PDB file of all heavy atoms in Angstrom:
ATOM      1  N   SER O   1      41.879  -3.379  68.879  1.00 93.00           N
ATOM      2  CA  SER O   1      40.770  -3.733  69.847  1.00 93.00           C
ATOM      3  C   SER O   1      39.716  -2.743  70.000  1.00 93.00           C
ATOM      4  O   SER O   1      38.591  -3.053  70.424  1.00 93.00           O
ATOM      5  CB  SER O   1      41.399  -4.050  71.168  1.00 93.00           C
ATOM      6  OG  SER O   1      41.843  -2.828  71.805  1.00 93.00           O
ATOM      7  N   LYS O   2      39.989  -1.441  69.557  1.00 91.00           N
ATOM      8  CA  LYS O   2      39.098  -0.372  69.640  1.00 91.00           C
ATOM      9  C   LYS O   2      38.452  -0.072  68.242  1.00 91.00           C
ATOM     10  O   LYS O   2      37.745   0.995  68.091  1.00 91.00           O
ATOM     11  CB  LYS O   2      39.714   0.884  70.152  1.00 91.00           C
ATOM     12  CG  LYS O   2      40.168   0.748  71.666  1.00 91.00           C
ATOM     13  CD  LYS O   2      40.913   2.050  72.119  1.00 91.00           C
ATOM     14  CE  LYS O   2      41.326   1.937  73.590  1.00 91.00           C
ATOM     15  NZ  LYS O   2      40.149   1.945  74.493  1.00 91.00           N
ATOM     16  N   ASN O   3      38.668  -0.871  67.249  1.00 92.00           N
ATOM     17  CA  ASN O   3      38.242  -0.736  65.925  1.00 92.00           C
ATOM     18  C   ASN O   3      38.641   0.639  65.256  1.00 92.00           C
ATOM     19  O   ASN O   3      37.929   1.253  64.543  1.00 92.00           O
ATOM     20  CB  ASN O   3      36.596  -0.793  65.902  1.00 92.00           C
ATOM     21  CG  ASN O   3      36.180  -2.166  66.291  1.00 92.00           C
ATOM     22  OD1 ASN O   3      36.694  -3.234  65.800  1.00 92.00           O
ATOM     23  ND2 ASN O   3      35.210  -2.179  67.281  1.00 92.00           N
ATOM     24  N   ILE O   4      39.886   0.992  65.598  1.00 93.00           N
ATOM     25  CA  ILE O   4      40.470   2.191  65.140  1.00 93.00           C
ATOM     26  C   ILE O   4      41.240   1.856  63.763  1.00 93.00           C
ATOM     27  O   ILE O   4      42.072   0.794  63.786  1.00 93.00           O
ATOM     28  CB  ILE O   4      41.492   2.858  66.055  1.00 93.00           C
ATOM     29  CG1 ILE O   4      40.732   3.398  67.230  1.00 93.00           C
ATOM     30  CG2 ILE O   4      42.250   4.005  65.349  1.00 93.00           C
ATOM     31  CD1 ILE O   4      41.598   3.759  68.487  1.00 93.00           C
ATOM     32  N   GLN O   5      41.111   2.511  62.697  1.00 95.00           N
ATOM     33  CA  GLN O   5      41.819   2.179  61.551  1.00 95.00           C
ATOM     34  C   GLN O   5      43.305   2.478  61.688  1.00 95.00           C
ATOM     35  O   GLN O   5      43.790   3.528  62.061  1.00 95.00           O
ATOM     36  CB  GLN O   5      41.285   2.968  60.288  1.00 95.00           C
ATOM     37  CG  GLN O   5      41.904   2.630  59.005  1.00 95.00           C
ATOM     38  CD  GLN O   5      41.314   3.316  57.818  1.00 95.00           C
ATOM     39  OE1 GLN O   5      40.300   4.082  57.867  1.00 95.00           O
ATOM     40  NE2 GLN O   5      41.907   3.192  56.516  1.00 95.00           N
ATOM     41  N   VAL O   6      44.110   1.392  61.265  1.00 96.00           N
ATOM     42  CA  VAL O   6      45.614   1.576  61.377  1.00 96.00           C
ATOM     43  C   VAL O   6      46.104   1.669  59.872  1.00 96.00           C
ATOM     44  O   VAL O   6      45.784   0.839  59.052  1.00 96.00           O
ATOM     45  CB  VAL O   6      46.252   0.316  61.998  1.00 96.00           C
ATOM     46  CG1 VAL O   6      47.680   0.323  61.984  1.00 96.00           C
ATOM     47  CG2 VAL O   6      45.635   0.136  63.431  1.00 96.00           C
ATOM     48  N   VAL O   7      46.861   2.767  59.608  1.00 97.00           N
ATOM     49  CA  VAL O   7      47.414   3.076  58.313  1.00 97.00           C
ATOM     50  C   VAL O   7      48.856   3.072  58.224  1.00 97.00           C
ATOM     51  O   VAL O   7      49.465   3.965  58.756  1.00 97.00           O
ATOM     52  CB  VAL O   7      46.883   4.330  57.772  1.00 97.00           C
ATOM     53  CG1 VAL O   7      47.271   4.630  56.308  1.00 97.00           C
ATOM     54  CG2 VAL O   7      45.390   4.446  57.900  1.00 97.00           C
ATOM     55  N   PRO O   8      49.601   2.012  57.778  1.00 96.00           N
ATOM     56  CA  PRO O   8      51.059   2.022  57.704  1.00 96.00           C
ATOM     57  C   PRO O   8      51.443   2.876  56.503  1.00 96.00           C
ATOM     58  O   PRO O   8      51.033   2.675  55.422  1.00 96.00           O
ATOM     59  CB  PRO O   8      51.462   0.590  57.484  1.00 96.00           C
ATOM     60  CG  PRO O   8      50.219  -0.037  56.812  1.00 96.00           C
ATOM     61  CD  PRO O   8      48.990   0.790  57.304  1.00 96.00           C
ATOM     62  N   LEU O   9      52.397   3.760  56.781  1.00 96.00           N
ATOM     63  CA  LEU O   9      52.989   4.609  55.678  1.00 96.00           C
ATOM     64  C   LEU O   9      54.322   3.913  55.155  1.00 96.00           C
ATOM     65  O   LEU O   9      54.952   3.211  55.900  1.00 96.00           O
ATOM     66  CB  LEU O   9      53.296   5.936  56.136  1.00 96.00           C
ATOM     67  CG  LEU O   9      52.113   6.858  56.690  1.00 96.00           C
ATOM     68  CD1 LEU O   9      52.671   8.233  57.012  1.00 96.00           C
ATOM     69  CD2 LEU O   9      50.987   6.930  55.575  1.00 96.00           C
ATOM     70  N   ILE O  10      54.567   4.226  53.861  1.00 93.00           N
ATOM     71  CA  ILE O  10      55.712   3.608  53.209  1.00 93.00           C
ATOM     72  C   ILE O  10      56.986   4.364  53.642  1.00 93.00           C
ATOM     73  O   ILE O  10      57.090   5.561  53.851  1.00 93.00           O
ATOM     74  CB  ILE O  10      55.589   3.750  51.779  1.00 93.00           C
ATOM     75  CG1 ILE O  10      54.319   2.946  51.316  1.00 93.00           C
ATOM     76  CG2 ILE O  10      56.830   3.288  50.943  1.00 93.00           C
ATOM     77  CD1 ILE O  10      54.035   3.198  49.800  1.00 93.00           C
ATOM     78  N   GLY O  11      57.943   3.584  53.951  1.00 92.00           N
ATOM     79  CA  GLY O  11      59.256   4.092  54.352  1.00 92.00           C
ATOM     80  C   GLY O  11      60.319   2.927  54.536  1.00 92.00           C
ATOM     81  O   GLY O  11      60.068   1.824  54.345  1.00 92.00           O
ATOM     82  N   PRO O  12      61.531   3.379  54.851  1.00 93.00           N
ATOM     83  CA  PRO O  12      62.689   2.387  54.803  1.00 93.00           C
ATOM     84  C   PRO O  12      62.701   1.432  56.046  1.00 93.00           C
ATOM     85  O   PRO O  12      62.385   1.963  57.188  1.00 93.00           O
ATOM     86  CB  PRO O  12      63.801   3.331  54.874  1.00 93.00           C
ATOM     87  CG  PRO O  12      63.427   4.489  55.570  1.00 93.00           C
ATOM     88  CD  PRO O  12      62.065   4.715  55.189  1.00 93.00           C
ATOM     89  N   SER O  13      62.891   0.208  55.792  1.00 94.00           N
ATOM     90  CA  SER O  13      63.053  -0.741  56.905  1.00 94.00           C
ATOM     91  C   SER O  13      64.516  -1.356  56.692  1.00 94.00           C
ATOM     92  O   SER O  13      64.767  -1.983  55.765  1.00 94.00           O
ATOM     93  CB  SER O  13      62.063  -1.833  56.747  1.00 94.00           C
ATOM     94  OG  SER O  13      62.381  -3.061  57.530  1.00 94.00           O
ATOM     95  N   SER O  14      65.354  -1.211  57.660  1.00 95.00           N
ATOM     96  CA  SER O  14      66.717  -1.678  57.515  1.00 95.00           C
ATOM     97  C   SER O  14      66.745  -3.245  57.466  1.00 95.00           C
ATOM     98  O   SER O  14      67.581  -3.730  56.642  1.00 95.00           O
ATOM     99  CB  SER O  14      67.551  -1.339  58.780  1.00 95.00           C
ATOM    100  OG  SER O  14      66.976  -1.864  59.954  1.00 95.00           O
ATOM    101  N   LEU O  15      65.783  -3.946  58.076  1.00 96.00           N
ATOM    102  CA  LEU O  15      65.697  -5.383  58.011  1.00 96.00           C
ATOM    103  C   LEU O  15      65.447  -5.916  56.660  1.00 96.00           C
ATOM    104  O   LEU O  15      66.002  -6.770  56.098  1.00 96.00           O
ATOM    105  CB  LEU O  15      64.765  -5.895  59.009  1.00 96.00           C
ATOM    106  CG  LEU O  15      64.890  -5.473  60.414  1.00 96.00           C
ATOM    107  CD1 LEU O  15      63.891  -6.028  61.407  1.00 96.00           C
ATOM    108  CD2 LEU O  15      66.368  -5.870  60.946  1.00 96.00           C
ATOM    109  N   LEU O  16      64.417  -5.215  55.961  1.00 96.00           N
ATOM    110  CA  LEU O  16      64.024  -5.645  54.673  1.00 96.00           C
ATOM    111  C   LEU O  16      65.041  -5.305  53.695  1.00 96.00           C
ATOM    112  O   LEU O  16      65.304  -6.060  52.703  1.00 96.00           O
ATOM    113  CB  LEU O  16      62.597  -5.284  54.333  1.00 96.00           C
ATOM    114  CG  LEU O  16      61.404  -5.812  55.137  1.00 96.00           C
ATOM    115  CD1 LEU O  16      60.170  -5.136  54.658  1.00 96.00           C
ATOM    116  CD2 LEU O  16      61.527  -7.285  54.967  1.00 96.00           C
ATOM    117  N   LEU O  17      65.561  -4.093  53.724  1.00 97.00           N
ATOM    118  CA  LEU O  17      66.581  -3.695  52.788  1.00 97.00           C
ATOM    119  C   LEU O  17      67.783  -4.634  52.906  1.00 97.00           C
ATOM    120  O   LEU O  17      68.390  -4.965  51.800  1.00 97.00           O
ATOM    121  CB  LEU O  17      67.051  -2.281  53.127  1.00 97.00           C
ATOM    122  CG  LEU O  17      65.905  -1.141  52.801  1.00 97.00           C
ATOM    123  CD1 LEU O  17      66.442   0.216  53.300  1.00 97.00           C
ATOM    124  CD2 LEU O  17      65.697  -1.053  51.291  1.00 97.00           C
ATOM    125  N   ALA O  18      68.183  -4.890  54.095  1.00 98.00           N
ATOM    126  CA  ALA O  18      69.368  -5.888  54.233  1.00 98.00           C
ATOM    127  C   ALA O  18      69.028  -7.334  53.695  1.00 98.00           C
ATOM    128  O   ALA O  18      69.857  -7.840  53.034  1.00 98.00           O
ATOM    129  CB  ALA O  18      69.748  -5.968  55.674  1.00 98.00           C
ATOM    130  N   LEU O  19      67.807  -7.709  53.949  1.00 98.00           N
ATOM    131  CA  LEU O  19      67.457  -9.062  53.435  1.00 98.00           C
ATOM    132  C   LEU O  19      67.512  -9.107  51.975  1.00 98.00           C
ATOM    133  O   LEU O  19      68.031 -10.126  51.437  1.00 98.00           O
ATOM    134  CB  LEU O  19      66.062  -9.457  54.028  1.00 98.00           C
ATOM    135  CG  LEU O  19      65.516 -10.839  53.532  1.00 98.00           C
ATOM    136  CD1 LEU O  19      66.403 -11.960  53.990  1.00 98.00           C
ATOM    137  CD2 LEU O  19      64.107 -10.948  54.075  1.00 98.00           C
ATOM    138  N   ILE O  20      66.857  -8.162  51.270  1.00 97.00           N
ATOM    139  CA  ILE O  20      66.736  -8.274  49.813  1.00 97.00           C
ATOM    140  C   ILE O  20      68.087  -8.061  49.242  1.00 97.00           C
ATOM    141  O   ILE O  20      68.272  -8.541  47.998  1.00 97.00           O
ATOM    142  CB  ILE O  20      65.683  -7.389  49.265  1.00 97.00           C
ATOM    143  CG1 ILE O  20      66.061  -5.846  49.542  1.00 97.00           C
ATOM    144  CG2 ILE O  20      64.266  -7.604  49.819  1.00 97.00           C
ATOM    145  CD1 ILE O  20      65.085  -4.884  48.951  1.00 97.00           C
ATOM    146  N   ALA O  21      68.974  -7.414  49.883  1.00 98.00           N
ATOM    147  CA  ALA O  21      70.358  -7.077  49.293  1.00 98.00           C
ATOM    148  C   ALA O  21      71.389  -8.288  49.652  1.00 98.00           C
ATOM    149  O   ALA O  21      72.526  -8.236  49.181  1.00 98.00           O
ATOM    150  CB  ALA O  21      70.844  -5.826  49.727  1.00 98.00           C
ATOM    151  N   SER O  22      70.952  -9.209  50.550  1.00 98.00           N
ATOM    152  CA  SER O  22      71.929 -10.144  51.045  1.00 98.00           C
ATOM    153  C   SER O  22      72.112 -11.310  50.008  1.00 98.00           C
ATOM    154  O   SER O  22      73.255 -12.012  50.151  1.00 98.00           O
ATOM    155  CB  SER O  22      71.416 -10.763  52.372  1.00 98.00           C
ATOM    156  OG  SER O  22      70.227 -11.472  52.107  1.00 98.00           O
ATOM    157  N   GLY O  23      71.102 -11.598  49.284  1.00 97.00           N
ATOM    158  CA  GLY O  23      71.245 -12.897  48.458  1.00 97.00           C
ATOM    159  C   GLY O  23      70.812 -14.115  49.179  1.00 97.00           C
ATOM    160  O   GLY O  23      70.894 -15.201  48.689  1.00 97.00           O
ATOM    161  N   PHE O  24      70.218 -13.939  50.399  1.00 98.00           N
ATOM    162  CA  PHE O  24      69.735 -14.999  51.254  1.00 98.00           C
ATOM    163  C   PHE O  24      68.216 -15.324  50.950  1.00 98.00           C
ATOM    164  O   PHE O  24      67.550 -14.628  50.208  1.00 98.00           O
ATOM    165  CB  PHE O  24      69.921 -14.658  52.639  1.00 98.00           C
ATOM    166  CG  PHE O  24      71.418 -14.614  53.075  1.00 98.00           C
ATOM    167  CD1 PHE O  24      71.760 -14.022  54.330  1.00 98.00           C
ATOM    168  CD2 PHE O  24      72.384 -14.935  52.279  1.00 98.00           C
ATOM    169  CE1 PHE O  24      73.029 -14.005  54.650  1.00 98.00           C
ATOM    170  CE2 PHE O  24      73.748 -14.951  52.600  1.00 98.00           C
ATOM    171  CZ  PHE O  24      74.115 -14.319  53.821  1.00 98.00           C
ATOM    172  N   ASN O  25      67.735 -16.368  51.631  1.00 97.00           N
ATOM    173  CA  ASN O  25      66.370 -16.760  51.429  1.00 97.00           C
ATOM    174  C   ASN O  25      65.418 -15.756  51.863  1.00 97.00           C
ATOM    175  O   ASN O  25      65.334 -15.432  53.067  1.00 97.00           O
ATOM    176  CB  ASN O  25      66.122 -18.132  52.266  1.00 97.00           C
ATOM    177  CG  ASN O  25      64.793 -18.800  51.813  1.00 97.00           C
ATOM    178  OD1 ASN O  25      63.993 -18.262  51.292  1.00 97.00           O
ATOM    179  ND2 ASN O  25      64.689 -20.017  52.366  1.00 97.00           N
ATOM    180  N   GLY O  26      64.545 -15.250  50.999  1.00 96.00           N
ATOM    181  CA  GLY O  26      63.585 -14.232  51.379  1.00 96.00           C
ATOM    182  C   GLY O  26      62.210 -14.722  51.598  1.00 96.00           C
ATOM    183  O   GLY O  26      61.290 -13.971  51.818  1.00 96.00           O
ATOM    184  N   GLN O  27      62.100 -16.056  51.468  1.00 97.00           N
ATOM    185  CA  GLN O  27      60.743 -16.608  51.663  1.00 97.00           C
ATOM    186  C   GLN O  27      60.705 -17.286  53.093  1.00 97.00           C
ATOM    187  O   GLN O  27      59.507 -17.650  53.519  1.00 97.00           O
ATOM    188  CB  GLN O  27      60.468 -17.726  50.546  1.00 97.00           C
ATOM    189  CG  GLN O  27      60.450 -17.163  49.171  1.00 97.00           C
ATOM    190  CD  GLN O  27      60.016 -18.203  48.223  1.00 97.00           C
ATOM    191  OE1 GLN O  27      58.798 -18.630  48.229  1.00 97.00           O
ATOM    192  NE2 GLN O  27      60.861 -18.634  47.317  1.00 97.00           N
ATOM    193  N   ASN O  28      61.766 -17.605  53.687  1.00 98.00           N
ATOM    194  CA  ASN O  28      61.810 -18.179  54.989  1.00 98.00           C
ATOM    195  C   ASN O  28      62.894 -17.544  55.808  1.00 98.00           C
ATOM    196  O   ASN O  28      64.069 -17.777  55.614  1.00 98.00           O
ATOM    197  CB  ASN O  28      61.965 -19.718  54.931  1.00 98.00           C
ATOM    198  CG  ASN O  28      61.827 -20.403  56.279  1.00 98.00           C
ATOM    199  OD1 ASN O  28      61.528 -19.805  57.270  1.00 98.00           O
ATOM    200  ND2 ASN O  28      62.211 -21.634  56.218  1.00 98.00           N
ATOM    201  N   PHE O  29      62.480 -16.596  56.697  1.00 97.00           N
ATOM    202  CA  PHE O  29      63.506 -15.865  57.480  1.00 97.00           C
ATOM    203  C   PHE O  29      62.894 -15.623  58.862  1.00 97.00           C
ATOM    204  O   PHE O  29      61.706 -15.574  59.045  1.00 97.00           O
ATOM    205  CB  PHE O  29      63.992 -14.563  56.836  1.00 97.00           C
ATOM    206  CG  PHE O  29      62.880 -13.727  56.394  1.00 97.00           C
ATOM    207  CD1 PHE O  29      62.391 -12.679  57.271  1.00 97.00           C
ATOM    208  CD2 PHE O  29      62.149 -13.748  55.162  1.00 97.00           C
ATOM    209  CE1 PHE O  29      61.438 -11.722  56.983  1.00 97.00           C
ATOM    210  CE2 PHE O  29      61.225 -12.929  54.871  1.00 97.00           C
ATOM    211  CZ  PHE O  29      60.806 -11.927  55.729  1.00 97.00           C
ATOM    212  N   ALA O  30      63.810 -15.281  59.780  1.00 97.00           N
ATOM    213  CA  ALA O  30      63.381 -14.976  61.106  1.00 97.00           C
ATOM    214  C   ALA O  30      64.252 -13.803  61.663  1.00 97.00           C
ATOM    215  O   ALA O  30      65.521 -13.853  61.481  1.00 97.00           O
ATOM    216  CB  ALA O  30      63.594 -16.208  62.097  1.00 97.00           C
ATOM    217  N   PHE O  31      63.611 -12.856  62.327  1.00 97.00           N
ATOM    218  CA  PHE O  31      64.293 -11.777  62.975  1.00 97.00           C
ATOM    219  C   PHE O  31      64.303 -11.975  64.474  1.00 97.00           C
ATOM    220  O   PHE O  31      63.254 -12.163  65.020  1.00 97.00           O
ATOM    221  CB  PHE O  31      63.631 -10.418  62.583  1.00 97.00           C
ATOM    222  CG  PHE O  31      64.141  -9.263  63.358  1.00 97.00           C
ATOM    223  CD1 PHE O  31      65.432  -8.905  63.272  1.00 97.00           C
ATOM    224  CD2 PHE O  31      63.334  -8.446  64.192  1.00 97.00           C
ATOM    225  CE1 PHE O  31      65.967  -7.844  63.960  1.00 97.00           C
ATOM    226  CE2 PHE O  31      63.865  -7.390  64.872  1.00 97.00           C
ATOM    227  CZ  PHE O  31      65.165  -7.113  64.799  1.00 97.00           C
ATOM    228  N   HIS O  32      65.468 -11.912  65.105  1.00 96.00           N
ATOM    229  CA  HIS O  32      65.664 -12.174  66.465  1.00 96.00           C
ATOM    230  C   HIS O  32      65.932 -11.024  67.347  1.00 96.00           C
ATOM    231  O   HIS O  32      66.137 -11.022  68.525  1.00 96.00           O
ATOM    232  CB  HIS O  32      66.749 -13.219  66.625  1.00 96.00           C
ATOM    233  CG  HIS O  32      66.490 -14.471  65.906  1.00 96.00           C
ATOM    234  ND1 HIS O  32      65.769 -15.452  66.369  1.00 96.00           N
ATOM    235  CD2 HIS O  32      66.823 -14.856  64.659  1.00 96.00           C
ATOM    236  CE1 HIS O  32      65.639 -16.519  65.596  1.00 96.00           C
ATOM    237  NE2 HIS O  32      66.382 -16.113  64.469  1.00 96.00           N
ATOM    238  N   GLY O  33      65.945  -9.715  66.766  1.00 93.00           N
ATOM    239  CA  GLY O  33      66.166  -8.577  67.555  1.00 93.00           C
ATOM    240  C   GLY O  33      67.617  -8.542  68.035  1.00 93.00           C
ATOM    241  O   GLY O  33      68.470  -8.978  67.245  1.00 93.00           O
TER     242      GLY O  33
END
């Protein structure tokens, strides 16, 4: 909202690592916390 540049750095995400290693649908998924 303040026009500040946001830069995401690369690093581990437990959710994505779990998803890609699960053998489940990686094109349609939902995270519920």
Side-chain angles (χ1 to χ4, degrees):
S1 73
K2 295 177 177 292
N3 296 314
I4 295 167
Q5 184 178 353
V6 176
V7 183
L9 299 184
I10 296 170
S13 164
S14 60
L15 305 179
L16 290 180
L17 291 172
L19 176 60
I20 63 177
S22 67
F24 295 167
N25 190 347
Q27 296 191 67
N28 185 9
F29 57 90
F31 172 58
H32 302 276

